[in-house]
Amino acid sequence: MSSSKHSSELRRLALSVLQPGFVGTEAPDWILRDIGDGLASVVLFSRNIVSTEQVARLTTRLRAENPDLIVAIDEEAGDVTRIESATGSSRPGNFALGTVDDAQLTEAVAADLGRQLRTAGVSLDYAPSADVNSNPDNPIIGVRSFGSDPEVVSRHTTAWIRGLQSSGVAACAKHFPGHGDVAVDSHHDLPAYPAGRDEIAAQALPPFRAAVAAGVRAVMSGHLLVPAYDPDLPATLSRRILHDLLREELSFDGLVVSDAIEMGAVTRRYGIDGATVKAVGAGVDAICVGGESAEEATVTLLVKALTAAVTGGELAEERLAEAAGRVGEFARWSAGLRASGTAGEAAGVGIGHVAARRAVRLTGAARAALPLTAAPHVVELAPVTNMAIGKETPWGVAVPLRERLPGTTSVRVRGQELEEGTVALESCALEPAVGRPLVIVARDAARHAWMSRAVTGLTAARPDAIVVEMGLPGAGTAAAQIFTHGASAASGVAAAEALTDASAL
């Protein structure tokens, strides 16, 4: 083979293992050119989405260059939504579904989501999160997990995969080998999972074994250090974890996708290009990139890094070709899955709403205090969310409550404002609520000291206040409480319904 022909073939192989994002609601010229040159996948984010119909036009244009193109999306429903980022998800997330613990309901919700994604032209969804949230202080998983019990998480991981794939969209179990017992956000730095192999086998791996048994054909690696398997390299860059554990021990023969390769957990030490080369060398078949680095220059950089690594002997050409082969195999399989359409009947209108309502829990004090008969003042305590959750995605209870009780007023308070003294709870929360009900909305109060203090102070001043917790439930309190187990739009509506008609739950 001539040098130029070999270079061209190497570039094609390198392009085929990338899953890049891009900016805009229409396909940029460089993406279309790269698809023609061998790019086999793209990933969509909220910046690419206006409506299901617009995404369908976009994916049709992309597939004009390659009918088997893998179109991925990071759509978990619940707090992490892309397809409904502008409105908030009309379906609850994993923790709400795990709380209900009805596998048929979980399957129906996932199938409902799958129908929407398939209509939009999506063929791969980076979901479900199969992480067991065994650390309540986890800053990155939380309500994205089905729960803290491996059996519950396994049961609902299975149901979610079956539901999604019945609608013609491929699932992707993440974040292998389990991101639930960490205390660092991998978007920023490298978290560690220090458990021994026996504990990992009992706690973190069962949902991934269940996912493989359920027919999942894609698994996403997590950017976390697991010293029991590899004391030096994070899972995404570790052959011991991706080959020895995932492929050999768990018998997974599908597509291994990296978590976003630009995340600080891997780039702070290796750079985005170095991390990409090491990931492919370790056994990753497809590199997800472009959540933050969505420019043509990033794809060019990564293609050059991969081809240079092959020609320089750092990366075996056979490994790159193997990865490209798995991408091609997955592309053909997912295209067939998409063409097969929806298996079974539609789940019915509003299945997400039904699920969100079923996930609501009320304390006895809350039941005794409800329903509200006068328009309340709502205080929403807003944390800084992790980067997986879109800053533009609305959440809360005030808006749906105002629709049911006109005259409802509200304020949203952030921890920094309280710490800086630019906002005082007395003036923004207590004074407007004089002579009327007070509703306090929290989101993971147990994880945020400022929020916990605010809830304690407000309920001390107003013992009759009702607290709506939209994150993980924390320690008990004497206050009347409503738990939604997630902050999706569907969960906000369900909370508003509980406040105005608790008997309906």
Side-chain angles (χ1 to χ4, degrees), residues 376-379 409 426 428-439 462:
H377 182 58
V378 181
V379 181
T409 56
E426 179 71 32
C428 76
L430 295 175
E431 289 177 6
V434 171
R436 52 198 294 223
L438 175 63
V439 176
R462 283 288 302 267

Side-chain angles (χ1 to χ4, degrees), residues 95 129-150 153 178-183 203-204 207 444 447 471-473:
F95 188 51
S129 167
D131 306 295
V132 179
N133 197 63
S134 49
N135 183 349
D137 290 327
N138 193 325
I140 186 64
I141 302 301
V143 296
R144 299 167 66 193
S145 166
F146 289 111
S148 58
D149 182 337
V153 177
H179 217 301
D181 192 9
V182 302
Q203 185 74 20
D444 288 323
R447 281 197 55 245
L472 295 176

